[in-house]
Amino acid sequence: MSKNEGSAMAVVCNFDRLKAISMGEDEFAAEMVKVFLEDSESQLALLQDALAQADYDAALAAVHRMKGAAGNVGAEIFADACRNFEAFARDGKAGALALQANALRQELDRVRDTVQPQMGPL
């Protein structure tokens, strides 16, 4: 599993966590990941719209929802990227938010690419 240099223990998808949350039910785990991916796509679209309108409260709300969902499916690096976005927003680093939104997109794609070999197309 891929490691994040900034967080030595974080992984793209913690399959042990996902298995524990889904109580070992593979179909349930796949459904959870599918819902996470679909919802995160919607939240990323909301995030992009919010940033375009400089609506940082809406942007933070979208990222907060993604962070919680990421934790539920073991998408640790994605959750870390959400926390980074929140930190930039709290610190008033508006210029960094668009770059961090792009990082969220890349990490979501990595989650999808990581889970598909084990779960099939989602």
Side-chain angles (χ1 to χ4, degrees):
M1 290 182 197
S2 299
K3 302 261 182 192
N4 178 358
E5 293 174 17
S7 179
M9 300 305 292
V11 293
V12 174
C13 186
N14 183 333
F15 287 102
D16 291 337
R17 170 126 175 95
L18 183 58
K19 186 173 186 164
I21 296 266
S22 66
M23 298 171 284
E25 296 290 330
D26 292 342
E27 287 181 27
F28 181 54
E31 184 62 25
M32 286 176 54
V33 171
K34 180 180 177 184
V35 168
F36 162 72
L37 292 170
E38 290 172 354
D39 186 57
S40 293
E41 289 291 344
S42 297
Q43 295 304 317
L44 278 173
L46 291 172
L47 172 62
Q48 291 296 340
D49 289 345
L51 290 176
Q53 298 171 23
D55 184 348
Y56 301 117
D57 289 336
L60 277 170
V63 170
H64 187 74
R65 284 188 291 272
M66 288 188 290
K67 180 181 71 175
N72 288 337
V73 298
E76 296 174 350
I77 296 174
F78 184 82
D80 285 346
C82 291
R83 281 188 277 284
N84 290 341
F85 184 99
E86 289 175 326
F88 289 140
R90 275 193 308 276
D91 294 343
K93 297 180 179 177
L97 296 181
L99 292 173
Q100 194 59 33
N102 288 336
L104 288 170
R105 157 56 53 213
Q106 292 171 346
E107 290 305 326
L108 186 62
D109 291 343
R110 281 183 31 168
V111 171
R112 183 178 290 107
D113 292 345
T114 300
V115 298
Q116 282 184 340
Q118 293 203 20
M119 298 183 164
L122 298 171

